[in-house]
Coordinates of all heavy atoms in Angstrom, one line a residue:
M1 N 98.4 -152.5 141.4 CA 97.3 -152.2 142.2 C 96.8 -153.5 142.9 O 96.2 -153.4 144.0 CB 96.1 -151.6 141.3 CG 96.4 -150.3 140.8 SD 96.4 -149.0 142.0 CE 94.7 -148.8 142.4
S2 N 97.0 -154.6 142.3 CA 96.4 -155.8 142.8 C 97.2 -156.2 144.1 O 96.7 -157.0 144.9 CB 96.5 -157.0 141.8 OG 97.8 -157.2 141.4
E3 N 98.4 -155.7 144.2 CA 99.3 -156.1 145.4 C 99.0 -155.2 146.6 O 99.4 -155.6 147.8 CB 100.8 -155.9 145.0 CG 101.2 -156.9 144.0 CD 102.6 -156.7 143.5 OE1 103.3 -155.9 144.1 OE2 103.0 -157.4 142.6
I4 N 98.3 -154.1 146.4 CA 98.1 -153.2 147.5 C 97.3 -153.8 148.7 O 97.7 -153.7 149.9 CB 97.4 -151.9 147.0 CG1 98.4 -151.1 146.2 CG2 97.0 -151.0 148.2 CD1 97.9 -149.9 145.5
P5 N 96.2 -154.5 148.5 CA 95.4 -155.1 149.6 C 96.3 -156.0 150.4 O 96.2 -156.0 151.7 CB 94.3 -155.8 148.9 CG 94.1 -155.1 147.6 CD 95.4 -154.7 147.2
E6 N 97.1 -156.8 149.8 CA 98.0 -157.8 150.5 C 99.0 -157.0 151.3 O 99.4 -157.3 152.5 CB 98.7 -158.8 149.6 CG 99.5 -159.8 150.3 CD 98.8 -160.5 151.4 OE1 97.6 -160.9 151.3 OE2 99.4 -160.8 152.4
E7 N 99.6 -155.9 150.7 CA 100.6 -155.1 151.5 C 99.9 -154.4 152.7 O 100.5 -154.4 153.8 CB 101.1 -154.0 150.6 CG 102.1 -154.5 149.6 CD 102.7 -153.4 148.6 OE1 102.6 -152.2 149.0 OE2 103.2 -153.7 147.6
I8 N 98.7 -154.0 152.5 CA 97.9 -153.4 153.7 C 97.7 -154.5 154.8 O 97.9 -154.2 156.0 CB 96.6 -152.9 153.2 CG1 96.8 -151.5 152.4 CG2 95.7 -152.5 154.4 CD1 95.6 -151.0 151.7
R9 N 97.4 -155.7 154.4 CA 97.2 -156.8 155.3 C 98.5 -157.1 156.1 O 98.5 -157.3 157.3 CB 96.6 -158.0 154.7 CG 95.1 -157.9 154.4 CD 94.5 -159.3 154.0 NE 94.9 -159.7 152.6 CZ 94.4 -159.3 151.5 NH1 93.3 -158.4 151.6 NH2 94.8 -159.7 150.4
E10 N 99.5 -157.1 155.3 CA 100.9 -157.3 156.0 C 101.2 -156.2 156.9 O 101.8 -156.5 158.0 CB 102.0 -157.5 154.9 CG 103.4 -157.7 155.4 CD 103.5 -159.0 156.3 OE1 102.7 -160.0 156.1 OE2 104.4 -158.9 157.2
I11 N 101.0 -155.0 156.5 CA 101.3 -153.9 157.5 C 100.4 -154.0 158.7 O 100.9 -153.8 159.8 CB 101.1 -152.5 156.7 CG1 102.1 -152.3 155.7 CG2 101.0 -151.4 157.7 CD1 101.9 -151.2 154.7
D12 N 99.2 -154.3 158.6 CA 98.3 -154.5 159.7 C 98.8 -155.7 160.6 O 98.7 -155.5 161.8 CB 96.8 -154.8 159.3 CG 96.1 -153.6 158.7 OD1 96.5 -152.5 159.1 OD2 95.1 -153.8 158.0
R13 N 99.3 -156.7 160.0 CA 99.8 -157.8 160.8 C 101.0 -157.4 161.6 O 101.2 -157.6 162.8 CB 100.2 -159.0 160.0 CG 99.0 -159.9 159.6 CD 99.5 -161.2 158.9 NE 100.1 -161.0 157.6 CZ 99.4 -161.0 156.4 NH1 98.1 -161.2 156.4 NH2 100.0 -160.8 155.3
Q14 N 101.9 -156.6 161.0 CA 103.1 -156.1 161.7 C 102.7 -155.1 162.8 O 103.3 -155.2 163.9 CB 104.0 -155.4 160.6 CG 104.7 -156.3 159.7 CD 105.5 -155.6 158.6 OE1 105.6 -154.4 158.6 NE2 106.0 -156.4 157.7
L15 N 101.7 -154.3 162.5 CA 101.3 -153.3 163.5 C 100.6 -154.1 164.7 O 100.9 -153.7 165.9 CB 100.3 -152.3 162.9 CG 100.9 -151.3 162.0 CD1 99.8 -150.5 161.4 CD2 101.9 -150.4 162.7
N16 N 99.9 -155.1 164.5 CA 99.3 -155.9 165.5 C 100.4 -156.6 166.3 O 100.3 -156.6 167.6 CB 98.3 -156.9 165.0 CG 97.0 -156.3 164.5 OD1 96.6 -155.3 165.1 ND2 96.4 -156.9 163.6
Y17 N 101.4 -157.1 165.7 CA 102.5 -157.7 166.4 C 103.2 -156.7 167.3 O 103.5 -157.0 168.5 CB 103.5 -158.3 165.4 CG 104.7 -158.8 166.0 CD1 104.7 -160.1 166.7 CD2 105.9 -158.1 166.0 CE1 105.9 -160.6 167.3 CE2 107.1 -158.6 166.6 CZ 107.0 -159.8 167.3 OH 108.2 -160.3 167.9
L18 N 103.5 -155.6 166.8 CA 104.2 -154.5 167.6 C 103.3 -154.1 168.7 O 103.8 -153.9 169.8 CB 104.6 -153.3 166.7 CG 105.6 -153.5 165.6 CD1 105.8 -152.3 164.7 CD2 107.0 -153.8 166.4
A19 N 102.0 -154.0 168.5 CA 101.1 -153.6 169.5 C 101.1 -154.6 170.7 O 101.1 -154.2 171.9 CB 99.7 -153.4 169.0
T20 N 101.0 -155.9 170.3 CA 101.1 -156.9 171.4 C 102.4 -156.9 172.1 O 102.4 -157.2 173.3 CB 100.8 -158.3 170.9 OG1 101.7 -158.7 169.9 CG2 99.4 -158.4 170.2
Q21 N 103.5 -156.6 171.4 CA 104.8 -156.6 172.1 C 105.0 -155.4 173.0 O 105.7 -155.5 174.0 CB 105.9 -156.7 171.0 CG 105.9 -158.0 170.2 CD 106.3 -159.2 171.0 OE1 107.2 -159.1 171.8 NE2 105.5 -160.2 170.9
W22 N 104.5 -154.3 172.6 CA 104.9 -153.0 173.2 C 103.8 -152.3 174.0 O 104.1 -151.4 174.8 CB 105.5 -152.0 172.2 CG 106.8 -152.5 171.7 CD1 107.1 -153.2 170.6 CD2 108.1 -152.4 172.3 NE1 108.4 -153.5 170.5 CE2 109.0 -153.0 171.6 CE3 108.4 -151.8 173.6 CZ2 110.4 -153.0 171.9 CZ3 109.8 -151.8 173.9 CH2 110.7 -152.4 173.1
C23 N 102.6 -152.6 173.7 CA 101.5 -151.8 174.3 C 101.5 -151.7 175.9 O 101.5 -150.7 176.4 CB 100.1 -152.5 173.9 SG 98.7 -151.4 174.4
D24 N 101.7 -152.9 176.5 CA 101.7 -152.9 178.0 C 102.9 -152.1 178.5 O 102.8 -151.3 179.5 CB 101.7 -154.3 178.5 CG 100.4 -155.0 178.4 OD1 99.3 -154.3 178.2 OD2 100.3 -156.2 178.4
K25 N 104.1 -152.3 177.9 CA 105.3 -151.7 178.3 C 105.2 -150.2 178.1 O 105.5 -149.4 179.0 CB 106.5 -152.2 177.5 CG 106.9 -153.6 177.8 CD 108.0 -154.0 176.9 CE 108.3 -155.5 177.2 NZ 109.4 -156.1 176.3
L26 N 104.7 -149.7 177.0 CA 104.5 -148.3 176.7 C 103.5 -147.7 177.7 O 103.7 -146.5 178.2 CB 104.1 -148.0 175.3 CG 105.2 -148.3 174.2 CD1 104.6 -148.2 172.8 CD2 106.4 -147.4 174.4
A27 N 102.4 -148.4 178.0 CA 101.4 -147.8 179.0 C 102.1 -147.7 180.4 O 101.9 -146.7 181.0 CB 100.2 -148.8 179.0
T28 N 102.9 -148.7 180.8 CA 103.5 -148.7 182.1 C 104.6 -147.5 182.1 O 104.6 -146.7 183.1 CB 104.3 -150.0 182.4 OG1 103.3 -151.0 182.4 CG2 105.0 -150.0 183.7
W29 N 105.4 -147.4 181.0 CA 106.3 -146.3 181.0 C 105.6 -144.9 181.0 O 106.1 -144.0 181.7 CB 107.2 -146.4 179.8 CG 108.1 -147.6 179.7 CD1 108.5 -148.4 180.8 CD2 108.7 -148.2 178.6 NE1 109.3 -149.4 180.4 CE2 109.5 -149.3 179.1 CE3 108.7 -147.9 177.3 CZ2 110.2 -150.1 178.2 CZ3 109.5 -148.7 176.4 CH2 110.2 -149.8 176.9
G30 N 104.5 -144.8 180.4 CA 103.7 -143.6 180.4 C 103.2 -143.3 181.8 O 103.3 -142.1 182.2
D31 N 102.8 -144.3 182.5 CA 102.3 -144.1 183.9 C 103.5 -143.7 184.8 O 103.3 -142.7 185.6 CB 101.7 -145.4 184.5 CG 100.3 -145.7 183.8 OD1 99.8 -144.8 183.2 OD2 100.0 -146.9 183.9
I32 N 104.6 -144.3 184.6 CA 105.8 -143.9 185.4 C 106.2 -142.5 185.1 O 106.5 -141.7 186.1 CB 107.0 -144.9 185.1 CG1 106.7 -146.3 185.7 CG2 108.3 -144.4 185.7 CD1 107.6 -147.4 185.2
L33 N 106.2 -142.1 183.9 CA 106.6 -140.7 183.5 C 105.6 -139.7 184.1 O 106.0 -138.7 184.6 CB 106.7 -140.5 182.0 CG 107.9 -141.3 181.4 CD1 107.8 -141.2 179.8 CD2 109.2 -140.7 181.8
R34 N 104.3 -140.0 184.1 CA 103.3 -139.1 184.7 C 103.6 -139.0 186.1 O 103.5 -137.9 186.7 CB 101.9 -139.7 184.4 CG 101.4 -139.1 183.1 CD 99.9 -139.5 182.9 NE 99.7 -140.9 182.7 CZ 99.9 -141.6 181.6 NH1 100.4 -141.0 180.5 NH2 99.7 -142.9 181.5
D35 N 103.8 -140.1 186.8 CA 104.1 -140.1 188.3 C 105.4 -139.2 188.5 O 105.3 -138.4 189.5 CB 104.4 -141.5 188.8 CG 103.1 -142.3 188.9 OD1 102.0 -141.7 188.7 OD2 103.2 -143.5 189.0
Q36 N 106.4 -139.4 187.7 CA 107.6 -138.5 187.9 C 107.3 -137.1 187.7 O 107.8 -136.2 188.5 CB 108.7 -139.0 187.0 CG 109.3 -140.4 187.4 CD 110.0 -140.3 188.7 OE1 110.8 -139.3 189.0 NE2 109.8 -141.2 189.6
T37 N 106.6 -136.8 186.7 CA 106.2 -135.4 186.4 C 105.4 -134.8 187.6 O 105.7 -133.6 188.0 CB 105.4 -135.3 185.1 OG1 106.2 -135.8 184.0 CG2 105.0 -133.8 184.8
D38 N 104.5 -135.5 188.1 CA 103.7 -135.1 189.2 C 104.6 -134.8 190.4 O 104.4 -133.9 191.1 CB 102.6 -136.1 189.6 CG 101.5 -136.1 188.5 OD1 101.4 -135.2 187.7 OD2 100.7 -137.1 188.6
A39 N 105.5 -135.8 190.7 CA 106.4 -135.7 191.8 C 107.3 -134.5 191.7 O 107.5 -133.7 192.7 CB 107.2 -136.9 192.0
N40 N 107.8 -134.2 190.5 CA 108.7 -133.0 190.3 C 107.9 -131.7 190.3 O 108.5 -130.7 190.7 CB 109.4 -133.2 188.9 CG 110.4 -134.2 188.9 OD1 111.0 -134.6 189.9 ND2 110.7 -134.8 187.7
S41 N 106.7 -131.7 190.0 CA 105.9 -130.5 190.1 C 105.7 -130.0 191.5 O 105.5 -128.8 191.8 CB 104.6 -130.6 189.4 OG 103.7 -131.5 190.1
V42 N 105.8 -130.9 192.5 CA 105.7 -130.6 193.9 C 106.8 -129.7 194.3 O 106.7 -128.8 195.2 CB 105.7 -131.8 194.8 CG1 105.8 -131.5 196.3 CG2 104.4 -132.6 194.5
L43 N 108.0 -129.8 193.7 CA 109.1 -129.0 194.1 C 108.9 -127.5 193.9 O 109.5 -126.7 194.6 CB 110.4 -129.4 193.2 CG 110.9 -130.8 193.4 CD1 112.0 -131.1 192.5 CD2 111.3 -131.0 194.9
S44 N 108.0 -127.1 193.1 CA 107.7 -125.6 192.9 C 107.0 -125.1 194.2 O 106.9 -123.9 194.3 CB 106.8 -125.4 191.7 OG 105.5 -126.0 191.9
S45 N 106.6 -125.9 195.1 CA 106.0 -125.4 196.3 C 107.0 -125.3 197.5 O 106.7 -124.9 198.6 CB 104.9 -126.4 196.8 OG 103.8 -126.4 196.0
F46 N 108.3 -125.5 197.2 CA 109.3 -125.4 198.2 C 110.4 -124.3 197.7 O 110.6 -124.1 196.6 CB 110.1 -126.7 198.3 CG 109.3 -127.9 198.8 CD1 108.5 -128.7 198.0 CD2 109.2 -128.0 200.2 CE1 107.8 -129.7 198.5 CE2 108.5 -129.1 200.7 CZ 107.7 -129.9 199.9
G47 N 111.0 -123.7 198.8 CA 112.1 -122.8 198.5 C 113.1 -123.0 199.7 O 112.6 -123.3 200.8
E48 N 114.4 -122.7 199.5 CA 115.3 -123.0 200.6 C 116.6 -122.2 200.4 O 117.0 -122.0 199.2 CB 115.6 -124.5 200.5 CG 116.8 -125.0 201.2 CD 117.0 -126.6 201.1 OE1 116.3 -127.2 200.2 OE2 117.7 -127.0 201.9
T49 N 117.2 -121.9 201.5 CA 118.6 -121.4 201.5 C 119.3 -122.2 202.6 O 118.7 -123.0 203.2 CB 118.6 -119.8 201.8 OG1 118.2 -119.6 203.1 CG2 117.8 -119.1 200.9
D50 N 120.5 -121.8 202.9 CA 121.2 -122.5 204.0 C 120.6 -122.3 205.4 O 120.6 -123.1 206.3 CB 122.7 -122.0 204.1 CG 123.5 -122.5 202.9 OD1 123.1 -123.5 202.3 OD2 124.6 -121.9 202.7
M51 N 119.9 -121.2 205.6 CA 119.3 -120.9 206.9 C 117.8 -120.9 206.9 O 117.2 -120.7 207.9 CB 119.8 -119.5 207.3 CG 121.3 -119.4 207.5 SD 122.0 -120.5 208.7 CE 121.3 -119.8 210.2
T52 N 117.2 -121.0 205.7 CA 115.7 -120.9 205.7 C 115.1 -121.9 204.7 O 115.8 -122.4 203.8 CB 115.2 -119.5 205.3 OG1 115.7 -119.3 203.9 CG2 115.7 -118.4 206.2
F53 N 113.9 -122.1 204.9 CA 113.1 -122.8 203.9 C 111.7 -122.3 203.8 O 111.2 -121.7 204.8 CB 113.1 -124.4 204.1 CG 112.3 -124.8 205.2 CD1 111.0 -125.2 205.1 CD2 112.9 -124.9 206.5 CE1 110.2 -125.7 206.1 CE2 112.1 -125.4 207.6 CZ 110.8 -125.7 207.4
V54 N 111.0 -122.4 202.7 CA 109.6 -122.0 202.5 C 108.9 -123.2 202.0 O 109.3 -123.9 201.2 CB 109.5 -120.9 201.5 CG1 108.1 -120.5 201.2 CG2 110.4 -119.7 201.9
L55 N 107.8 -123.4 202.7 CA 106.9 -124.5 202.3 C 105.5 -124.0 202.1 O 105.0 -123.3 203.1 CB 106.9 -125.7 203.3 CG 106.0 -126.8 203.3 CD1 106.1 -127.6 201.9 CD2 106.1 -127.7 204.4
M56 N 104.9 -124.2 201.1 CA 103.5 -123.8 200.9 C 102.6 -125.0 200.6 O 103.0 -125.8 199.9 CB 103.4 -122.8 199.7 CG 102.0 -122.2 199.5 SD 102.1 -121.0 198.2 CE 100.6 -121.4 197.3
G57 N 101.5 -125.1 201.4 CA 100.7 -126.3 201.2 C 99.3 -125.9 201.8 O 99.0 -124.8 202.2
W58 N 98.5 -127.0 201.8 CA 97.1 -126.8 202.3 C 96.8 -127.7 203.4 O 97.2 -128.9 203.3 CB 96.1 -127.0 201.1 CG 94.7 -126.9 201.5 CD1 94.0 -125.7 201.5 CD2 93.8 -127.9 202.0 NE1 92.7 -126.0 202.0 CE2 92.6 -127.3 202.3 CE3 94.0 -129.3 202.3 CZ2 91.5 -128.0 202.8 CZ3 92.9 -130.0 202.8 CH2 91.7 -129.4 203.1
V59 N 96.2 -127.3 204.5 CA 95.6 -128.1 205.5 C 94.3 -127.6 205.8 O 94.0 -126.4 205.7 CB 96.5 -128.2 206.8 CG1 97.9 -128.8 206.5 CG2 96.6 -126.8 207.4
P60 N 93.4 -128.4 206.3 CA 92.0 -128.0 206.7 C 92.2 -127.0 207.9 O 93.1 -127.1 208.7 CB 91.3 -129.2 207.2 CG 92.0 -130.4 206.6 CD 93.4 -129.9 206.4
T61 N 91.4 -126.0 207.9 CA 91.5 -124.9 208.9 C 91.5 -125.5 210.4 O 92.3 -125.1 211.2 CB 90.3 -123.9 208.8 OG1 90.3 -123.4 207.5 CG2 90.4 -122.8 209.8
N62 N 90.7 -126.5 210.6 CA 90.7 -127.1 212.0 C 91.9 -127.9 212.3 O 92.1 -128.3 213.5 CB 89.4 -127.9 212.1 CG 89.3 -129.1 211.3 OD1 90.0 -129.1 210.2 ND2 88.5 -130.1 211.6
E63 N 92.8 -128.1 211.4 CA 94.1 -128.8 211.6 C 95.3 -127.9 211.6 O 96.4 -128.3 211.9 CB 94.3 -129.9 210.5 CG 93.3 -131.0 210.6 CD 93.5 -131.9 211.8 OE1 94.7 -132.1 212.3 OE2 92.5 -132.3 212.5
F64 N 95.1 -126.6 211.3 CA 96.2 -125.7 211.2 C 97.0 -125.6 212.6 O 98.3 -125.7 212.5 CB 95.7 -124.2 210.9 CG 96.7 -123.3 210.8 CD1 97.5 -123.2 209.7 CD2 97.0 -122.4 211.9 CE1 98.5 -122.3 209.5 CE2 98.1 -121.5 211.8 CZ 98.8 -121.4 210.6
E65 N 96.4 -125.5 213.7 CA 97.1 -125.5 215.0 C 97.9 -126.7 215.2 O 99.0 -126.7 215.7 CB 96.1 -125.2 216.1 CG 95.7 -123.8 216.1 CD 94.7 -123.5 217.3 OE1 94.6 -124.3 218.2 OE2 94.1 -122.4 217.3
N66 N 97.3 -127.9 214.9 CA 98.1 -129.2 215.0 C 99.3 -129.2 214.1 O 100.4 -129.6 214.6 CB 97.2 -130.4 214.7 CG 96.1 -130.6 215.7 OD1 96.2 -130.2 216.8 ND2 95.0 -131.2 215.2
V67 N 99.2 -128.7 212.9 CA 100.4 -128.7 212.0 C 101.4 -127.7 212.5 O 102.6 -128.0 212.6 CB 99.9 -128.3 210.6 CG1 101.1 -128.0 209.7 CG2 99.0 -129.4 210.0
E68 N 100.9 -126.5 213.0 CA 101.9 -125.6 213.5 C 102.6 -126.1 214.7 O 103.9 -126.0 214.8 CB 101.1 -124.3 213.9 CG 102.1 -123.2 214.4 CD 101.3 -121.9 214.7 OE1 100.1 -121.9 214.9 OE2 102.0 -120.8 214.7
E69 N 102.0 -126.8 215.7 CA 102.5 -127.4 216.8 C 103.5 -128.4 216.4 O 104.7 -128.5 217.0 CB 101.5 -127.9 217.8 CG 102.1 -128.5 219.0 CD 102.9 -127.5 219.8 OE1 102.6 -126.4 219.8 OE2 103.9 -128.1 220.5
T70 N 103.2 -129.3 215.5 CA 104.1 -130.3 215.0 C 105.3 -129.8 214.5 O 106.4 -130.2 214.7 CB 103.4 -131.3 214.1 OG1 102.2 -131.9 214.7 CG2 104.3 -132.4 213.5
L71 N 105.2 -128.7 213.6 CA 106.4 -128.1 213.0 C 107.3 -127.5 214.1 O 108.5 -127.6 214.0 CB 106.0 -127.1 212.0 CG 105.4 -127.6 210.7 CD1 104.8 -126.5 209.9 CD2 106.4 -128.4 209.9
R72 N 106.6 -126.8 215.1 CA 107.5 -126.2 216.2 C 108.2 -127.3 216.9 O 109.3 -127.1 217.3 CB 106.6 -125.4 217.1 CG 106.1 -124.1 216.5 CD 105.6 -123.1 217.5 NE 105.0 -122.0 216.8 CZ 105.7 -121.0 216.2 NH1 107.0 -121.0 216.2 NH2 105.0 -120.0 215.6
Q73 N 107.6 -128.4 217.2 CA 108.3 -129.5 217.9 C 109.4 -130.1 217.1 O 110.5 -130.4 217.6 CB 107.3 -130.7 218.2 CG 106.3 -130.4 219.2 CD 105.2 -131.4 219.4 OE1 105.3 -132.5 218.7 NE2 104.2 -131.2 220.2
K74 N 109.3 -130.1 215.8 CA 110.3 -130.7 214.9 C 111.4 -129.7 214.6 O 112.6 -130.1 214.5 CB 109.7 -131.3 213.6 CG 108.7 -132.3 213.8 CD 109.4 -133.6 214.3 CE 108.3 -134.7 214.4 NZ 108.8 -135.9 214.9
I75 N 111.0 -128.4 214.4 CA 112.0 -127.4 213.9 C 112.5 -126.5 215.1 O 113.6 -126.1 215.1 CB 111.4 -126.6 212.8 CG1 111.1 -127.5 211.6 CG2 112.2 -125.4 212.4 CD1 110.2 -126.9 210.5
G76 N 111.6 -126.2 216.0 CA 111.9 -125.3 217.1 C 111.2 -124.0 216.9 O 110.3 -123.8 216.1
E77 N 111.5 -123.1 217.8 CA 110.7 -121.8 217.9 C 111.1 -120.9 216.8 O 110.4 -119.9 216.6 CB 111.0 -121.2 219.3 CG 110.2 -121.9 220.4 CD 108.7 -122.0 220.2 OE1 108.1 -121.0 219.8 OE2 108.2 -123.1 220.3
A78 N 112.2 -121.1 216.1 CA 112.6 -120.2 215.0 C 111.8 -120.5 213.8 O 112.2 -120.8 212.7 CB 114.1 -120.3 214.7
L79 N 110.5 -120.4 213.9 CA 109.5 -120.8 212.9 C 108.5 -119.7 212.7 O 108.0 -119.1 213.6 CB 108.7 -122.1 213.3 CG 107.6 -122.6 212.4 CD1 108.2 -123.2 211.2 CD2 106.8 -123.6 213.1
F80 N 108.3 -119.3 211.4 CA 107.3 -118.4 211.1 C 106.3 -119.1 210.2 O 106.7 -119.5 209.1 CB 107.9 -117.1 210.3 CG 106.9 -116.2 209.9 CD1 106.3 -115.3 210.8 CD2 106.6 -116.0 208.5 CE1 105.3 -114.4 210.4 CE2 105.6 -115.1 208.1 CZ 105.0 -114.3 209.0
I81 N 105.1 -119.2 210.6 CA 104.1 -119.8 209.9 C 102.9 -118.9 209.8 O 102.5 -118.3 210.7 CB 103.7 -121.2 210.5 CG1 102.7 -122.0 209.7 CG2 103.2 -121.0 211.9 CD1 102.5 -123.4 210.1
Q82 N 102.4 -118.8 208.6 CA 101.3 -117.8 208.3 C 100.2 -118.5 207.4 O 100.5 -119.0 206.3 CB 101.9 -116.6 207.6 CG 100.8 -115.6 207.4 CD 101.5 -114.3 206.7 OE1 102.7 -114.4 206.4 NE2 100.7 -113.3 206.5
P83 N 99.0 -118.4 207.9 CA 97.9 -118.9 207.0 C 97.7 -117.9 205.9 O 97.8 -116.7 206.2 CB 96.7 -119.0 207.9 CG 97.0 -118.1 209.1 CD 98.5 -118.1 209.2
L84 N 97.4 -118.3 204.8 CA 97.1 -117.5 203.6 C 95.7 -117.5 203.3 O 95.0 -118.5 203.4 CB 98.0 -117.8 202.4 CG 99.4 -117.8 202.5 CD1 100.1 -118.5 201.3 CD2 100.0 -116.4 202.8
P85 N 95.1 -116.4 202.8 CA 93.7 -116.4 202.4 C 93.6 -117.3 201.2 O 94.5 -117.4 200.4 CB 93.4 -115.0 202.1 CG 94.7 -114.3 201.8 CD 95.7 -115.1 202.6
L86 N 92.5 -118.0 201.1 CA 92.2 -118.9 200.0 C 91.7 -118.1 198.8 O 90.5 -117.9 198.6 CB 91.2 -120.0 200.4 CG 91.0 -121.2 199.5 CD1 92.4 -121.9 199.3 CD2 90.0 -122.1 200.0
T87 N 92.7 -117.7 198.0 CA 92.4 -116.9 196.8 C 92.0 -117.8 195.6 O 92.3 -119.0 195.6 CB 93.6 -116.0 196.4 OG1 94.7 -116.9 196.0 CG2 94.0 -115.1 197.5
S88 N 91.4 -117.2 194.6 CA 91.1 -118.1 193.4 C 92.4 -118.6 192.7 O 92.4 -119.7 192.2 CB 90.3 -117.2 192.4 OG 91.0 -116.1 192.0
E89 N 93.5 -117.9 192.8 CA 94.7 -118.4 192.2 C 95.2 -119.6 193.0 O 95.7 -120.6 192.4 CB 95.8 -117.3 192.3 CG 97.1 -117.7 191.7 CD 97.0 -117.9 190.2 OE1 96.2 -117.3 189.5 OE2 97.8 -118.8 189.7
I90 N 95.1 -119.6 194.3 CA 95.5 -120.8 195.1 C 94.6 -121.9 194.8 O 95.0 -123.1 194.7 CB 95.6 -120.4 196.6 CG1 96.7 -119.4 196.9 CG2 95.8 -121.6 197.5 CD1 96.8 -118.9 198.3
K91 N 93.3 -121.7 194.7 CA 92.3 -122.7 194.4 C 92.7 -123.5 193.1 O 92.4 -124.6 193.0 CB 90.9 -122.2 194.3 CG 90.4 -121.8 195.6 CD 88.9 -121.2 195.5 CE 88.4 -120.7 196.8 NZ 87.0 -120.2 196.6
K92 N 93.3 -122.8 192.1 CA 93.6 -123.4 190.8 C 94.7 -124.4 191.0 O 94.9 -125.3 190.1 CB 94.1 -122.4 189.8 CG 92.9 -121.5 189.4 CD 93.4 -120.4 188.4 CE 92.3 -119.4 188.1 NZ 92.8 -118.3 187.2
R93 N 95.6 -124.3 192.0 CA 96.7 -125.3 192.2 C 96.2 -126.6 192.6 O 96.1 -127.4 193.0 CB 97.7 -124.7 193.2 CG 98.4 -123.4 192.7 CD 99.3 -122.9 193.7 NE 99.9 -121.7 193.3 CZ 100.8 -121.0 193.9 NH1 101.3 -121.5 194.9 NH2 101.2 -119.9 193.4

């Protein structure tokens, strides 16, 4: 029983050492993984085949025509673009 307090202090010293060695690295790796997860979740807004693609996103209503015109200039007239009503399901995204 008399050795337990010293063992606890030694464990605390080891944990402090590990924390100083790894804390910043683990925090950075966590940030990188969160960024990658966020970037990969964007892919669910896209769909594609050899001849088509689907893109779903949000733009302010007053910018819709500018976005449509820009897409037509880049892609051509074979473009179907449709504004969707702002439903509660879309608001959750």
Side-chain angles (χ1 to χ4, degrees):
M1 292 293 285
S2 63
E3 295 175 9
I4 292 175
E6 182 54 37
E7 287 180 18
I8 290 173
R9 282 190 289 278
E10 178 58 28
I11 291 169
D12 284 341
R13 280 191 290 271
Q14 291 174 2
L15 289 174
N16 285 331
Y17 173 78
L18 290 172
T20 58
Q21 295 295 314
W22 290 98
C23 186
D24 290 340
K25 290 177 185 176
L26 290 173
T28 300
W29 294 341
D31 290 341
I32 290 169
L33 289 173
R34 272 187 293 285
D35 289 346
Q36 288 295 316
T37 301
D38 291 345
N40 289 336
S41 69
V42 169
L43 296 176
S44 66
S45 295
F46 295 90
E48 160 181 21
T49 69
D50 289 341
M51 300 298 291
T52 63
F53 71 92
V54 175
L55 170 63
M56 186 172 136
W58 178 89
V59 296
T61 303
N62 62 339
E63 291 294 321
F64 180 79
E65 288 181 10
N66 291 336
V67 170
E68 183 176 22
E69 180 58 32
T70 301
L71 288 171
R72 287 198 189 284
Q73 289 173 3
K74 299 290 183 183
I75 296 169
E77 289 301 313
L79 175 71
F80 176 73
I81 185 167
Q82 180 178 8
L84 300 173
L86 191 58
T87 64
S88 59
E89 184 62 32
I90 292 174
K91 286 180 185 179
K92 290 179 187 176
R93 294 180 184 185

